[in-house]
Amino acid sequence: MISRNFSPTNVTYTIFIDHHCKMGMMEEAEDLLLEMQNRNIKPTSITYASLLDGYNRIGNGLKMVSLFDEFLTQGFEPDDNIYSLMVESYSREGNWMGAFQMFDQISLKGLYLKPTVLVSLLETIREKDHYTKILSLFDEMGEQGLMLSSSTCTNLVHGFLQSGHVQKAEQILETMKKFRWVPIASCLREFHNYKNEPLSTAAYQA
């Protein structure tokens, strides 16, 4: 890329890296990243986003985890796009702990998953075997003293209610009650509307 009359910047490199990633040419994209680093040109958060998207396209979750760790080490703060890519990768591989840790960080920071990723996540969870694993994971987290945020649980309950899976939504709420995870009031109201019966909030108080 370097010539006598042209000295590429991090923006230039990022444009070329993004192009290679979209073409599925990940080895070439990595070569450009290495060239950048060898020339002491610092990659931007967009550079990493392009690489993560590229590896997500080809389903290389291990490389995504490595890149995400490097992204954090460089001092960058993930946005909703980065988190969505990681959630999509983790859920595709059945790594529900990883997926929900990302989901929880999104909720706590007031960010949102991309709608397509959220729909895909819920569709995957709705499959019987995956849903059983999710409930087991929640039990394991609760027993270890870990806790999902109210926003994360509320998004799950809302997603199941909207798709007509009231029983699954109720099971999520029962898990929250079991471990004293406090749901958002609007979540309980929505559930009440679907069930058409009163639901006391007392059982959810910490």
Side-chain angles (χ1 to χ4, degrees):
M1 179 179 286
I2 304 171
S3 69
R4 184 181 304 173
N5 299 316
F6 177 64
S7 295
T9 65
N10 56 3
V11 174
T12 310
Y13 272 110
T14 297
I15 290 172
F16 278 93
I17 287 173
D18 184 64
H19 170 75
H20 283 90
C21 289
K22 283 183 168 57
M23 297 294 291
M25 302 168 65
M26 299 310 300
E27 186 175 343
E28 290 81 358
E30 285 278 4
D31 286 343
L32 287 172
L33 178 64
L34 181 60
E35 182 180 311
M36 261 182 105
Q37 294 168 333
N38 288 339
R39 298 189 66 223
N40 293 318
I41 299 176
K42 186 177 180 179
T44 69
S45 60
I46 299 174
T47 311
Y48 283 102
S50 294
L51 289 163
L52 285 167
D53 181 61
Y55 281 114
N56 189 47
R57 288 169 183 262
I58 64 175
N60 191 334
L62 287 176
K63 188 63 181 180
M64 289 184 69
V65 171
S66 175
L67 270 173
F68 184 72
D69 288 342
E70 184 178 329
F71 174 87
L72 296 177
T73 301
Q74 293 294 324
F76 294 117
E77 187 71 21
D79 59 10
D80 53 352
N81 179 55
I82 297 291
Y83 278 128
S84 292
L85 287 171
M86 296 307 297
V87 168
E88 186 174 8
S89 176
Y90 281 134
S91 60
R92 181 176 57 240
E93 296 180 352
N95 183 349
W96 297 112
M97 179 66 82
F100 279 101
Q101 284 178 336
M102 291 291 113
F103 199 174
D104 223 24
Q105 289 183 46
I106 292 171
S107 298
L108 290 171
K109 292 182 179 181
L111 302 174
Y112 299 93
L113 277 179
K114 287 184 175 180
T116 53
V117 176
L118 179 57
V119 169
S120 177
L121 176 65
L122 290 172
E123 285 293 339
T124 303
I125 293 173
R126 283 182 199 126
E127 298 175 14
K128 184 177 180 181
D129 56 337
H130 287 301
Y131 187 71
T132 301
K133 291 177 184 177
I134 292 300
L135 291 179
S136 296
L137 173 61
F138 286 176
D139 283 340
E140 180 182 335
M141 291 177 68
E143 288 164 3
Q144 292 178 5
L146 303 175
M147 178 176 164
L148 285 175
S149 70
S150 296
S151 295
T152 296
C153 292
T154 297
N155 282 329
L156 289 172
V157 171
H158 175 73
F160 285 129
L161 289 176
Q162 290 296 311
S163 61
H165 292 77
V166 180
Q167 185 177 3
K168 286 182 169 59
E170 186 169 16
Q171 287 176 309
I172 297 292
L173 284 171
E174 286 299 318
T175 298
M176 296 180 74
K177 183 194 298 183
K178 177 180 178 181
F179 295 112
R180 294 293 190 267
W181 297 351
V182 183
I184 295 174
S186 60
C187 171
L188 295 177
R189 285 197 297 270
E190 183 179 13
F191 181 76
H192 161 72
N193 290 335
Y194 273 88
K195 292 282 287 186
N196 194 28
E197 62 184 32
L199 183 66
S200 172
T201 62
Y204 297 93
Q205 300 305 314

